[in-house]
Amino acid sequence: MDIVLEIADTLLLDRVYSFVAPASPSQYLYHNLKNVTTTTWSSIRETSTGAPQFSYVYEPASQYLSLPPTEWTYSSSLPRDNVYRQGISLFFIVWIFGLLLYFVFASLSYVFVFDKTTSQHPKYLKNQVRLEIAQAVQAIPVMAVLTAACMLAEVRGYSKMYDSLSEAPFSLYNIIQFPFFVLFTDFLIYWIHRGLHHPRVYKTLHKPHHKWIMPTPFASHAFHPVDGFAQSIPYHLFPFLFPLQKFAYIALFAFINFWTIFIHDGEYYANSPLINGAACHTMHHLYFNYNYGQFTTLWDRMGGSYRKPNEELFNRETKMGKAEWAKQTKEMEKIVQEVEGDDDRGYLADGTSTAKKVQ
């Protein structure tokens, strides 16, 4: 994330911090007199005697992409490497870009991919999209705080991130780090997710996400914030245990968020025994105690929790047929009684039937 920070600092945040925490006049004067170039020094502090001194040397975050500092870089009393500034910056970057990614791509998925016929399912909730969005908007800033703390440790140099491809343990590692990352995180997420279904934690942490029996793409980030962060821990843990190239880290972070939307979009492209796609995840939302994996079905198969998606889901006529919905509803209601007790969700179908009775 040091690459993202450098870009954000150069394009925007240097100006923001110059306004919020401007440098002292002596810092400005000293910088101008010494004619410090923007490629050498980026902030100045004063000693106890009042004589200004340099405190931070600019170093590009990557040899592949760097933006030389501007005059604004020297205009704040908070240098770029100040731990508090970095923490605050990372929080707002994760929060704002998290919201942008969520609204842009979940909206695109909802408009162009999601089958709107799903709203007629007996277990679709009243005002479901609005409720999903409200829950996500409340959860994302809290998850951003916890995520920023992990990223701060990475930026401060505690991870095994590397920049140059030649710094990899061996040349082929630059390629295999991607499937290695997927397998490692998928394994840990499986156990974290399965643990969240334990009766002692399910109703407090994970039930808010299982409110959506027939989720839309907007349910992708609609978690209890501790639940959402818990399932992201493997992503943050990986670069502290294993080498990971900086741009690969950014690409994988984006991929994770796209995948989360993808498995909630209700379109069942992947009728695969290996890929944990939207069909497998629909089985999880419908029947709770199956398909805990994130990317693959491997750990579910080994852990005895794999449930093959119904064949009817891969044919549009049967997928949205009343017979399939009735079968899903009957089994789901039985499982809800076992897992949660009374079902306190407000279904759209219930409201419709009630209205008809009143008439």
Side-chain angles (χ1 to χ4, degrees):
M1 287 298 289
D2 55 352
I3 296 173
V4 175
L5 265 183
E6 182 175 320
I7 295 172
D9 281 334
T10 305
L11 298 182
L12 175 64
L13 295 181
D14 283 340
R15 293 172 182 253
V16 172
Y17 285 106
S18 296
F19 175 78
V20 174
S24 66
S26 62
Q27 291 173 323
Y28 287 121
L29 179 61
Y30 189 80
H31 171 71
N32 291 331
L33 289 176
K34 290 295 183 180
N35 192 27
V36 181
T37 63
T38 59
T39 58
T40 307
W41 308 102
S42 65
S43 69
I44 304 171
R45 288 182 182 168
E46 294 183 358
T47 63
S48 58
T49 60
Q53 66 177 9
F54 290 111
S55 62
Y56 163 57
V57 177
Y58 166 69
E59 295 181 5
S62 172
Q63 66 175 326
Y64 301 115
L65 175 67
S66 62
L67 300 175
T70 68
E71 59 179 299
W72 296 100
T73 307
Y74 318 122
S75 303
S76 174
S77 59
L78 288 175
R80 286 185 177 183
D81 66 346
N82 180 278
V83 64
Y84 300 107
R85 168 174 168 165
Q86 289 177 332
I88 293 169
S89 298
L90 287 168
F91 164 69
F92 280 104
I93 289 171
V94 175
W95 183 14
I96 293 171
F97 280 92
L99 284 174
L100 285 174
L101 185 149
Y102 170 70
F103 278 109
V104 170
F105 290 98
S107 296
L108 288 173
S109 178
Y110 182 81
V111 172
F112 296 107
V113 179
F114 180 69
D115 191 334
K116 311 303 184 298
T117 311
T118 304
S119 63
Q120 300 174 25
H121 193 283
K123 296 305 176 182
Y124 191 84
L125 273 60
K126 302 174 186 176
N127 303 314
Q128 181 167 312
V129 169
R130 182 175 63 82
L131 293 172
E132 289 171 337
I133 293 174
Q135 186 168 305
V137 168
Q138 292 172 17
I140 287 174
V142 181
M143 291 190 286
V145 171
L146 301 171
T147 300
C150 297
M151 291 180 171
L152 180 61
E154 172 258 305
V155 167
R156 301 297 291 184
Y158 295 101
S159 73
K160 296 179 181 289
M161 293 278 198
Y162 66 92
D163 181 41
S164 172
L165 298 181
S166 63
E167 297 175 39
F170 49 92
S171 59
L172 190 59
Y173 187 83
N174 289 307
I175 298 175
I176 68 172
Q177 64 181 321
F178 293 98
F180 182 30
F181 177 91
V182 168
L183 288 173
F184 173 84
T185 55
D186 198 39
F187 171 72
L188 290 187
I189 291 171
Y190 171 81
W191 289 109
I192 292 171
H193 192 178
R194 188 163 184 167
L196 286 164
H197 278 260
H198 190 282
R200 292 187 179 180
V201 297
Y202 171 79
K203 289 186 178 181
T204 302
L205 295 183
H206 198 50
K207 183 180 176 181
H209 186 62
H210 270 276
K211 184 175 184 178
W212 330 113
I213 302 299
M214 295 300 297
T216 80
F218 292 107
S220 59
H221 292 69
F223 288 92
H224 184 290
V226 175
D227 175 9
F229 175 73
Q231 295 193 60
S232 73
I233 288 175
Y235 310 137
H236 305 302
L237 184 62
F238 185 91
F240 290 95
L241 298 178
F242 309 103
L244 185 63
Q245 204 276 333
K246 291 182 178 181
F247 285 99
Y249 174 80
I250 296 171
L252 286 167
F253 187 76
F255 165 72
I256 290 160
N257 283 278
F258 293 145
W259 185 269
T260 303
I261 294 171
F262 165 73
I263 62 176
H264 290 90
D265 68 13
E267 277 298 326
Y268 310 133
Y269 301 114
N271 187 7
S272 166
L274 179 61
I275 299 174
N276 185 71
C280 281
H281 201 65
T282 291
M283 293 292 98
H284 178 73
H285 275 267
L286 271 169
Y287 307 129
F288 295 76
N289 297 323
Y290 305 94
N291 300 350
Y292 299 109
Q294 180 77 351
F295 303 116
T296 75
T297 64
L298 175 62
W299 311 114
D300 279 296
R301 290 177 180 279
M302 295 179 67
S305 54
Y306 174 68
R307 174 161 178 162
K308 183 180 179 181
N310 302 346
E311 289 295 332
E312 290 81 358
L313 297 181
F314 299 98
N315 180 289
R316 178 168 176 78
E317 287 70 26
T318 55
K319 169 188 172 184
M320 295 300 177
K322 291 185 178 180
E324 175 65 13
W325 285 357
K327 183 173 66 174
Q328 292 173 358
T329 299
K330 182 178 180 180
E331 184 173 358
M332 170 263 170
E333 289 176 346
K334 180 181 178 182
I335 295 175
V336 166
Q337 282 292 323
E338 297 171 353
V339 174
E340 297 180 358
D342 293 335
D343 189 351
D344 58 2
R345 297 168 181 80
Y347 298 109
L348 183 61
D350 294 341
T352 302
S353 61
T354 301
K356 288 182 178 179
K357 289 178 182 178
V358 172
Q359 290 176 352

